[in-house]
Amino acid sequence: MESATVVLVTSSPAAPTSWPPVSVVVPVLNEERHLDAAVTNVLEQEYPGAMDVVLAVGPSRDRTAEVAARLAACDPRVHVVENPTGRTPAGLNAAVKASTGDVVVRVDAHSELSPGYVRRAVEILERTGADNVGGLMLAQGRTPFERAVARAMGSRLGIGGARFHVGGEEGEAETVYLGVFRRTTLDRLGGYDDHFHRAQDWELNHRIRLAGGTVWFSPELWVTYRPRSRWQALALQFFRTGRWRRQVTRRYPDTASPRYLAPPVVVVGIVLGTAAGVAGAVTGQGWLRLGFAAPALYVAGVAVGSQVIAKGADVRERAWLPVVVATMHLTWGAGFLVPLRTLGRHSTAVRRFKARVGA
């Protein structure tokens, strides 16, 4: 399948003279299926310095809490804290507060770090002086539907051209997947903004850059991501992501870009074109029927584009691919167009940040 390029590192520059203690923070909710593998993967990282893992467990509907408790009982490096709200930024902040490492590594409970990820990330922090480093979100699926989602996520057609999705050269970036932070940076900026239920990574990275810091992308780092396994879950994920990306744009209007505005524009075009076409069919006005061209062209574009990126896919994955791509585009765009209640403007993170930059 088409995917982002992964660079295997066979050698590295001189290692730090002393390895800083590292804390891996993991927000956890309804992750019974993946949590054990994710934590085991972290514990097998072979980092030369001290490392602990803090699981911020939300009120799950499955046996996630039992799995977390068992992992903590089996290894003294694993600790569990409660996240009563179940929201990702609150869980991350709780885990960071309960941790002590000079370097904070964010991991999701449905992801797995590449071999040597923590060690290499610390080396890159040391070499670049960056505040946050990260790499590729390497989506991998098992079922035909999941593989179609993974393929779409690793292509420009499905999810845009961000380097952490499609790969690219090492260097400064707008944002990265998950992230490996200096604790001093998180403390200085107030951590994650708990008003952003989603897009909190992007928002934090934006504040890092506004404060004069550096976010660094390296294709030498990658994290295996497990996509949603059902169409309904995928549609809800992208709808919610679109809604919260709009909130980021509201708070930081200068971040609006064609990449983020394209999906809502497509949704509006399809809706208006379809409405015009229906009106033309009802009233007999032929020129209005031209509106049907908007949805028709979109469907044709997705169908052709999906086949272009489907090299190596089996029949069932190929069948799912245009459905998946259209779902990503249209639910994200619809979410962007649906307003949320006004965000609180005075979260702890934002207050600290504004105080620092004099805003």
Side-chain angles (χ1 to χ4, degrees):
M1 78 178 248
E2 177 184 285
S3 61
T5 301
V6 174
V7 178
L8 293 174
V9 180
T10 57
S11 62
S12 62
T17 54
S18 62
W19 295 92
V22 166
S23 290
V24 179
V25 297
V26 189
V28 186
L29 182 70
N30 299 320
E31 290 289 358
E32 175 187 359
R33 180 182 174 190
H34 299 299
L35 181 59
D36 199 331
V39 173
T40 299
N41 169 266
V42 171
L43 296 176
E44 292 176 346
Q45 280 288 301
E46 297 183 353
Y47 178 65
M51 183 177 71
D52 66 343
V53 182
V54 183
L55 309 178
V57 180
S60 302
R61 297 186 301 272
D62 58 13
R63 297 178 57 254
T64 293
E66 296 175 37
V67 174
R70 174 175 55 80
L71 290 167
C74 291
D75 195 308
R77 294 173 293 175
V78 180
H79 312 281
V80 177
V81 296
E82 292 186 0
N83 176 22
T85 69
R87 294 171 182 165
T88 298
L92 287 167
N93 287 335
V96 171
K97 183 178 180 180
S99 68
T100 58
D102 294 338
V103 174
V104 177
V105 180
R106 178 186 169 176
V107 175
D108 280 346
H110 50 268
S111 61
E112 296 178 20
L113 304 179
S114 55
Y117 179 95
V118 174
R119 176 178 182 142
R120 188 69 185 117
V122 170
E123 289 175 340
I124 294 171
L125 277 176
E126 179 78 10
R127 171 171 60 84
T128 63
D131 295 89
N132 179 24
V133 304
L136 289 161
M137 186 182 86
L138 194 63
Q140 294 185 356
R142 298 183 177 92
T143 68
F145 175 80
E146 291 174 356
R147 292 198 300 272
V149 175
R151 185 180 295 272
M153 284 185 163
S155 74
R156 295 180 184 276
L157 174 67
I159 208 165
R163 277 182 287 174
F164 74 89
H165 282 302
V166 301
E169 297 294 325
E170 181 184 41
E172 293 188 31
E174 183 180 79
T175 191
V176 291
Y177 183 52
L178 301 180
V180 178
F181 302 84
R182 298 180 187 274
R183 175 177 293 277
T184 53
T185 297
L186 293 178
D187 290 343
R188 185 173 70 251
L189 298 183
Y192 291 88
D193 186 340
D194 53 14
H195 283 96
F196 284 93
H197 302 177
R198 290 178 180 267
Q200 66 278 154
D201 287 338
W202 196 100
E203 194 276 340
L204 174 57
N205 283 319
H206 187 66
R207 278 189 285 126
I208 288 174
R209 292 186 293 111
L210 284 180
T214 300
V215 178
W216 192 267
F217 169 81
S218 173
E220 298 176 6
L221 305 173
W222 74 94
V223 182
T224 299
Y225 170 84
R226 301 299 180 187
R228 300 297 193 270
S229 59
R230 296 181 299 113
W231 178 85
Q232 297 91 330
L234 177 72
L236 184 60
Q237 175 192 16
F238 273 77
F239 180 79
R240 288 173 171 169
T241 301
R243 295 185 80 184
W244 284 100
R245 187 60 184 81
R246 174 177 174 172
Q247 306 316 309
V248 174
T249 303
R250 285 176 59 194
R251 181 168 287 175
Y252 307 106
D254 59 311
T255 67
S257 68
R259 187 176 76 192
Y260 293 121
L261 297 178
V265 168
V266 167
V267 170
V268 170
I270 290 174
V271 170
L272 293 180
T274 302
V278 170
V282 170
T283 64
Q285 299 185 52
W287 67 274
L288 285 174
R289 295 179 186 176
L290 294 175
F292 284 130
L297 288 172
Y298 176 75
V299 170
V302 167
V304 172
S306 295
Q307 293 310 304
V308 170
I309 68 173
K311 183 179 179 181
D314 60 32
V315 173
R316 289 185 297 172
E317 184 182 333
R318 282 178 179 270
W320 270 117
L321 196 53
V323 176
V324 164
V325 169
T327 298
M328 290 178 173
H329 293 172
L330 300 182
T331 57
W332 199 101
F336 191 93
L337 293 168
V338 175
L340 283 166
R341 290 178 297 177
T342 302
L343 285 175
R345 298 178 180 274
H346 302 292
S347 69
T348 301
V350 171
R351 284 201 305 269
R352 290 180 183 174
F353 175 68
K354 287 184 175 181
R356 173 173 173 74
V357 300

